[in-house]
Amino acid sequence: MSSLTEKDRPIVQLLLNTGTCPRCILRFCCVGSQTLYRHPDKDLMKDLEDFLKKNQEEEGTVCLEVVDPPCKRIRLEDTEEGPEDLNHNGALPRIPSENDGNAAVESSAGKVCNVCLGILQEFCQADFVKRVCQKVNSADYQFTSFVFSVSLPPQLSVRERAAWLGVKQEMRNLGLSLEKDDIVQLKEAYKWIIHPQLAEELGVPADGKSLFEVSVVFAHPETDEECRFLATTCPDCFKPAKNKQSVFTRMAVIKALEKIKEEDFLKHFPCPPSSPKNLCDALEIQCNNGAVFVAGRYNKYSRNLPQTPWIIDGERKLESSVEELISEHLMAEFKADSFNFSSSGREDVDVRTLGNGRPFAIELVNPRRIHFTAEEMKRLQQAINNSSDKIQVRDLQLVTREAIGRMKEGEEEKTKTYSALIWTDKAIQREDIALLDDIKELKLDQKTPLRVLHRRPLAVRCRIIHTMSSEYIDEHHFRLHLKTQAGTYIKEFVHGDFGRTKPNIGSLLNRTADILELDVESVDVDWPPTLDN
């Protein structure tokens, strides 16, 4: 059971007189019952009218029946300035009369609310809920729950402050008080009203942790200028940002309202605020699904395929990439807006990745489809593999965002195995390269290679060659199998990069050496889990 008491009468009277809607009046009376806000607007207006018509001398309350108890209460306290029946001028406070109540109801009925600008009026109606749901259904998303978010015009915060200051003054005159934090927030009240309607229409529950978001962006062009006085009084709160169209963001306005002195605010803005002519506009109704993450391992068999698109000065150098050959199928099946590709390291365009492949993950942004069975993922993997002979994918699976961290953690900690075809300028015999087989845990100092200096910071990195095994081919060629610390530049270890990598194969063999071919034979990161494909 929730009720309005005689101490709420001045709030109801004042706000109705100035064109405030019934639901905003309940907010300022600190009524915390969710069910009560869902009552039809006309019924709430009648309840308030009945409340104002009650005889001011009658004891008790007019009760507004609800199912759940209030979660917030007004703090009404006597002031210490004198008897509770005197106002600041020493006169008896004027309790609104029955006639005043009638006039207030007439002045408020049919108007756009001067506080919420119609959001708790027209935008709580079934027609608007159906409009939102039509937008959701037409977008063709898969979801099992939803979270609802709303973006309000920043000037609503100004109007809320003005209404509170007006009520606060009225209460002070009666020896009472109203704290700003006791007022039910507009967003909170709106969600109380809209959540059950959306849940019923969409057939799924509202859930604050849902990955599927339905959002509404409201605007009110008629009152857009109302925030501008804050830029004069609190200029440091409004700083231009590259990704913001206006400096008057909601957070900037709130920051300014916290800073501005009450007397300065009252000089620039009417309290309570005036009634607008027009309702808010619902500028955008948007849907967004949380990202889905797909992981696997890929093999790259081409020596003419980059891992990611190779574009220099706006010009594409090669027609495709590992990233694109995989992602184009995922994008089509998940119906996503975009994607982000990541992997455990990367190979050069002319380097193959063999063995069990390189771990990768793709973040699919705002996917329409999110539910895939293991069999469907297997078919998707097969479709990727059938589309090109340059790559193959294995262990394709859905993973969590947190699981991807295991792949990135392994980049520097794990080892990688390579096979390099090496040329030397001087003739070699088997015994000349045998010394390499005996070298263990060789420490290198690698200055950032010249070929990557344009995209990597200049630094000297310490790397380790754990083991090497040579395979003699002819007088000028041999194959070298290496197990190294992740992040080692193998090509530079072979030819020395003009002395930037020390030691190197050339210095160890005392001759000029160069690399002709390089293959990644294994990436020793135990992720993602192996599947029975």
Side-chain angles (χ1 to χ4, degrees):
M1 184 71 70
S2 176
S3 60
L4 297 177
T5 69
E6 278 301 313
K7 290 183 178 180
D8 294 315
R9 181 184 291 272
I11 300 176
V12 177
Q13 181 73 69
L14 174 66
L15 293 179
L16 276 178
N17 269 330
T18 55
T20 306
C21 72
R23 292 187 178 101
C24 278
I25 291 174
L26 293 180
R27 293 196 302 113
F28 277 83
C29 289
C30 308
V31 175
S33 163
Q34 298 185 26
T35 305
L36 185 57
Y37 286 85
R38 297 167 191 157
H39 289 186
D41 197 65
K42 290 182 179 179
D43 291 353
L44 292 174
M45 182 64 81
K46 186 177 184 304
D47 288 336
L48 293 175
E49 182 180 8
D50 291 343
F51 173 70
L52 290 178
K53 284 180 179 179
K54 282 196 65 70
N55 190 300
Q56 62 183 8
E57 296 178 356
E58 180 180 341
E59 294 292 328
T61 64
V62 173
C63 295
L64 304 175
E65 295 190 4
V66 298
V67 176
D68 49 338
C71 65
K72 293 188 179 181
R73 284 188 173 84
I74 192 169
R75 293 202 290 268
L76 300 173
E77 303 170 351
D78 296 337
T79 63
E80 299 178 357
E81 297 182 16
E84 64 178 17
D85 58 342
L86 295 181
N87 64 17
H88 291 288
N89 297 321
L92 286 171
R94 176 180 178 274
I95 301 299
S97 67
E98 181 177 336
N99 291 333
D100 288 339
N102 290 334
V105 172
E106 290 174 5
S107 68
S108 185
K111 286 187 174 182
V112 178
C113 177
N114 67 331
V115 179
C116 72
L117 300 176
I119 289 174
L120 295 185
Q121 295 172 301
E122 294 298 318
F123 295 100
C124 295
Q125 304 298 329
D127 287 347
F128 181 69
V129 173
K130 288 182 178 179
R131 179 181 160 193
V132 172
C133 293
Q134 285 172 357
K135 175 73 173 181
V136 173
N137 292 330
S138 66
D140 196 28
Y141 281 90
Q142 284 184 341
F143 58 95
T144 55
S145 62
F146 72 93
V147 60
F148 180 72
S149 66
V150 57
S151 175
L152 302 176
Q155 59 266 36
L156 277 182
S157 298
V158 178
R159 285 179 163 264
E160 184 106 350
R161 173 62 61 88
W164 171 64
L165 290 177
V167 170
K168 180 182 175 184
Q169 179 62 44
E170 184 74 11
M171 299 295 282
R172 184 184 297 154
N173 292 340
L174 297 174
L176 304 172
S177 67
L178 171 63
E179 297 297 329
K180 181 175 176 293
D181 290 342
D182 287 335
I183 300 168
V184 175
Q185 294 298 306
L186 195 157
K187 275 189 180 182
E188 189 174 14
Y190 187 56
K191 290 180 181 180
W192 289 347
I193 302 164
I194 209 85
H195 270 173
Q197 298 182 70
L198 287 174
E200 182 177 357
E201 193 75 22
L202 294 173
V204 296
D207 181 357
K209 296 182 179 179
S210 176
L211 294 178
F212 180 65
E213 179 185 29
V214 180
S215 61
V216 179
V217 178
F218 288 108
H220 196 258
E222 179 187 339
T223 57
D224 273 347
E225 302 297 313
E226 291 184 349
C227 299
R228 295 196 173 276
F229 75 92
L230 293 171
T232 303
T233 55
C234 306
D236 56 323
C237 294
F238 301 94
K239 297 178 180 179
K242 292 181 180 179
N243 59 340
K244 300 293 183 181
Q245 293 182 345
S246 170
V247 295
F248 295 101
T249 62
R250 180 173 171 272
M251 293 309 298
V253 168
I254 290 174
K255 185 178 178 181
L257 290 174
E258 291 173 349
K259 190 173 182 179
I260 191 172
K261 294 180 180 179
E262 187 174 313
E263 56 268 27
D264 291 334
F265 184 94
L266 293 171
K267 289 177 184 177
H268 293 89
F269 204 86
C271 300
S274 58
S275 294
K277 295 179 181 179
N278 303 304
L279 288 165
C280 270
D281 295 327
L283 281 188
E284 297 176 3
I285 300 172
Q286 298 177 327
C287 305
N288 188 79
N289 237 341
V292 170
F293 298 87
V294 176
R297 303 179 79 102
Y298 73 81
N299 290 107
K300 172 177 169 291
Y301 301 119
S302 171
R303 295 197 187 278
N304 195 36
L305 183 70
Q307 187 193 64
T308 55
W310 193 5
I311 300 172
I312 300 176
D313 296 331
E315 181 182 349
R316 190 179 185 106
K317 297 300 181 182
L318 292 171
E319 64 178 19
S320 191
S321 65
V322 173
E323 172 187 293
E324 291 166 298
L325 290 174
I326 297 174
S327 65
E328 64 183 15
H329 295 274
L330 298 180
M331 286 285 289
E333 289 298 320
F334 284 81
K335 300 178 181 177
D337 285 351
S338 60
F339 70 92
N340 295 305
F341 180 92
S342 59
S343 64
S344 181
R346 59 186 296 132
E347 66 283 312
D348 291 337
V349 62
D350 58 348
V351 176
R352 297 186 301 178
T353 298
L354 308 177
N356 62 355
R358 185 185 297 277
F360 73 91
I362 294 182
E363 176 187 12
L364 294 154
V365 179
N366 193 23
R368 270 64 174 176
R369 186 181 176 192
I370 57 175
H371 302 301
F372 285 80
T373 65
E375 188 60 35
E376 287 173 326
M377 291 300 293
K378 189 179 292 186
R379 287 199 294 268
L380 180 52
Q381 174 177 297
Q382 193 60 48
I384 295 171
N385 292 341
N386 291 341
S387 67
S388 174
D389 59 359
K390 295 181 178 181
I391 66 162
Q392 290 282 286
V393 169
R394 67 181 67 192
D395 301 329
L396 195 70
Q397 58 195 278
L398 292 167
V399 297
T400 63
R401 182 190 295 271
E402 291 72 25
I404 293 176
R406 294 183 59 187
M407 176 183 74
K408 306 307 287 185
E409 288 169 4
E411 283 188 357
E412 295 297 325
E413 299 171 2
K414 303 297 182 179
T415 60
K416 296 183 181 180
T417 305
Y418 299 89
S419 172
L421 178 60
I422 299 173
W423 168 88
T424 61
D425 64 335
K426 297 178 182 179
I428 55 171
Q429 300 301 319
R430 295 180 188 277
E431 54 270 23
D432 294 327
I433 60 174
L435 66 93
L436 299 176
D437 300 353
D438 297 328
I439 298 176
K440 312 293 182 187
E441 304 302 318
L442 177 65
K443 293 183 179 180
L444 309 181
D445 287 329
Q446 291 199 301
K447 189 177 288 188
T448 305
L450 293 173
R451 63 188 174 91
V452 300
L453 198 53
H454 65 284
R455 56 184 172 87
R456 294 281 176 87
L458 179 62
V460 176
R461 298 170 178 85
C462 181
R463 294 290 184 261
I464 297 175
I465 306 294
H466 296 295
T467 61
M468 290 184 283
S469 174
S470 61
E471 182 183 327
Y472 183 81
I473 298 176
D474 60 36
E475 290 184 343
H476 290 281
H477 301 88
F478 70 97
R479 187 168 294 279
L480 186 65
H481 300 277
L482 311 93
K483 189 169 189 177
T484 75
Q485 178 184 355
T488 304
Y489 292 106
I490 304 302
K491 291 179 179 179
E492 282 67 26
F493 171 59
V494 173
H495 58 62
D497 197 25
F498 300 100
R500 298 169 72 85
T501 291
K502 297 177 180 179
N504 54 68
I505 293 296
S507 65
L508 292 172
L509 298 180
N510 194 28
R511 66 198 67 208
T512 299
D514 205 351
I515 188 165
L516 303 180
E517 291 179 354
L518 179 63
D519 293 329
V520 179
E521 294 191 330
S522 72
V523 179
D524 301 327
V525 177
D526 187 21
W527 188 91
T530 302
L531 301 180
D532 182 15
N533 292 323

